Amino acid sequence: MTASTRSHAEQKEGALGILAGGGSLPIEIATHVRDRIGRPVHVVALDGEADADFTGLPHTRVNWGQIGRMVRTLRQHGCTRLVLAGTVRRPNLRTLRPD
């Protein structure tokens, strides 16, 4: 489905936000949604977790403690839905840098 054939309701939904952990699943979801469904995406990649190469996709890298930045980034890019994808480890509380 191309952007021109999407219904009015689909066009109003906005971008899909992807909170990315490790592995290939986040990039597979992002490219599928962008290329096959025609919906814009924005990847929020977790530092120390997300190991895929997001070159060519709109993305932002954040620390686990930057919850405010995650939310602001998703809103700025018009994300109306969020999917969490990929592997994550329990964060070390000593290394968190809350915003």
Side-chain angles (χ1 to χ4, degrees):
M1 182 181 314
T2 65
S4 62
T5 60
R6 289 185 290 163
S7 73
H8 182 66
E10 288 174 318
Q11 291 174 10
K12 289 177 66 174
E13 283 189 23
L16 175 67
I18 301 170
L19 184 57
S24 64
L25 185 59
I27 204 156
E28 290 174 29
I29 292 171
T31 55
H32 175 81
V33 168
R34 181 194 65 190
D35 298 344
R36 298 269 176 107
I37 298 174
R39 186 174 185 174
V41 299
H42 190 85
V43 177
V44 175
L46 293 169
D47 281 338
E49 302 291 344
D51 51 8
D53 180 6
F54 297 105
T55 303
L57 289 168
H59 66 282
T60 304
R61 288 209 164 262
V62 297
N63 176 277
W64 264 114
Q66 295 178 301
I67 304 297
R69 184 170 178 217
M70 290 179 202
V71 172
R72 281 189 308 275
T73 297
L74 293 167
R75 285 185 179 154
Q76 286 172 345
H77 292 279
C79 297
T80 57
R81 303 276 183 184
L82 177 67
V83 62
L84 287 66
T87 59
V88 292
R89 297 175 302 268
R90 180 183 301 230
N92 181 343
L93 297 179
R94 292 184 202 143
T95 62
L96 286 183
R97 297 180 309 266
D99 60 358

